[in-house]
């Protein structure tokens, strides 16, 4: 099992540009989560999906953020336009409907300059 | 007040020491608690989870919940340099299905050889 796969690992972009982060969950996992981690705020849940349907997006900070899950094996988190305060590590995680163990990806380190 | 709080550390101990990592939570309705370990530049990985009060042991790790004082602890026996990481406690603070974990800020542990 390859685990949760995120791409890119690092992204440096200029303020105002569109950024797209990608995630491939573990096969058979029906929940997918996007988290953001910063030194100041720690790990924050942005949005989660169940069976490809967004269930709770109350953590999405602004309309500049959007997330999609077109099928069970792929999700994207898009920021448009990006701002320096969006700089953080973005994690994708997945789990099955049984138990509490999330499996996290290795994250995408985003720097907006 | 944050829902789940931890001392950020760093906590530095010699190899072989017993380590105690602690977490407090604000809402007595929380029922499930998890400990995640995060190595530098990696995603968090689930170490243990426990329900309600009492102890749970897994090898060198023991998780303890004291609901009367809203206190969660993780003990590491015979600590090793490979235990050096950030330890995060978490609880599903908005639903007991475990779909929306709230994380503490993490405690950084350093085990010196």
């Amino acid at each position: 099992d390859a685990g949760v796969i995120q791409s890119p690992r690092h992204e440096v972009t200029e303020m105002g540009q569109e950024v797209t982060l990608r995630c491939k969950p573990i096969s058979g996992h029906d929940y997918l989560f996007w988290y953001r981690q910063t030194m100041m705020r720690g790990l924050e849940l942005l949005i989660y999906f169940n069976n490809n349907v967004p269930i709770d997006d109350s953590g999405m900070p602004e309309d500049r953020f959007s997330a999609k899950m077109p099928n069970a094996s792929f999700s994207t988190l898009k920021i448009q336009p990006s701002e320096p305060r969006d700089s953080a590590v973005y994690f994708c995680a997945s789990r099955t409907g049984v138990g509490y163990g999330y499996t996290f990806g290795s994250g995408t380190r985003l720097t907006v300059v | 007040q944050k829902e789940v709080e931890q001392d950020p550390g760093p906590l530095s101990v010699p190899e072989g020491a017993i380590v105690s990592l602690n977490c407090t939570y604000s809402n007595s309705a929380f029922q499930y608690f998890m400990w995640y370990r995060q190595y530098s530049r990696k995603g968090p990985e689930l170490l243990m989870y426990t329900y309600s009060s009492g102890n749970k042991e897994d090898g060198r790790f023991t998780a303890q919940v004291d609901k009367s004082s809203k206190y969660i602890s993780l003990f590491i026996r015979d600590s090793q340099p490979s235990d050096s990481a950030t330890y995060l406690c978490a609880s599903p603070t908005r639903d007991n299905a475990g779909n929306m974990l709230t994380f503490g800020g993490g405690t950084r542990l350093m085990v010196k050889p």
Side-chain angles (χ1 to χ4, degrees):
Chain A
D1 191 342
V4 175
I5 300 172
Q6 292 187 246
S7 64
R9 288 298 309 274
H10 303 274
E11 177 81 39
V12 180
T13 191
E14 292 186 347
M15 182 174 64
Q17 296 297 306
E18 176 182 303
V19 176
T20 299
L21 312 181
R22 297 173 176 79
C23 175
K24 177 178 168 56
I26 292 174
S27 177
H29 282 193
D30 50 1
Y31 288 86
L32 183 138
F33 306 83
W34 282 100
Y35 277 85
R36 177 172 70 175
Q37 188 174 39
T38 61
M39 290 292 292
M40 290 297 295
R41 301 175 67 89
L43 263 172
E44 301 174 285
L45 176 65
L46 300 177
I47 185 171
Y48 83 94
F49 296 82
N50 178 216
N51 292 322
N52 313 338
V53 177
I55 303 300
D56 193 301
D57 66 354
S58 59
M60 297 285 261
E62 299 170 35
D63 290 345
R64 299 184 296 107
F65 286 69
S66 62
K68 293 182 180 179
M69 192 166 185
N71 57 61
S73 59
F74 185 65
S75 178
T76 59
L77 178 68
K78 185 181 292 186
I79 309 172
Q80 179 185 25
S82 57
E83 297 184 3
R85 59 196 168 116
D86 302 330
S87 297
V89 182
Y90 291 81
F91 287 103
C92 176
S94 69
R95 66 180 278 251
T96 66
V98 177
Y100 293 88
Y102 288 25
T103 301
F104 281 82
S106 295
T108 295
R109 184 172 296 271
L110 173 66
T111 303
V112 183
V113 297
Chain B
Q1 181 186 8
K2 290 185 179 179
E3 293 178 298
V4 181
E5 295 205 64
Q6 294 180 257
D7 185 328
L11 177 63
S12 182
V13 301
E15 183 176 353
I18 295 175
V19 175
S20 172
L21 301 165
N22 304 302
C23 209
T24 58
Y25 61 96
S26 60
N27 191 331
S28 57
F30 299 168
Q31 295 183 4
Y32 297 90
F33 305 93
M34 297 92 177
W35 283 98
Y36 281 79
R37 177 176 62 196
Q38 185 176 21
Y39 291 114
S40 180
R41 298 189 177 269
K42 298 288 187 183
E45 57 178 330
L46 180 67
L47 265 182
M48 299 180 72
Y49 76 86
T50 183
Y51 171 72
S52 192
S53 285
N55 291 0
K56 184 174 181 178
E57 190 173 317
D58 184 1
R60 296 185 295 111
F61 298 87
T62 299
Q64 188 176 77
V65 178
D66 182 346
K67 294 205 81 176
S68 61
S69 56
K70 299 190 194 127
Y71 207 74
I72 312 159
S73 300
L74 179 70
F75 299 97
I76 307 174
R77 291 185 300 279
D78 187 24
S79 56
Q80 303 294 310
S82 59
D83 296 327
S84 298
T86 296
Y87 291 80
L88 304 122
C89 59
S91 182
T93 57
R94 278 185 273 174
D95 75 28
N96 280 320
N99 294 328
M100 300 175 74
L101 289 185
T102 297
F103 285 83
T107 299
R108 185 175 165 217
L109 171 67
M110 295 185 293
V111 182
K112 306 280 190 186

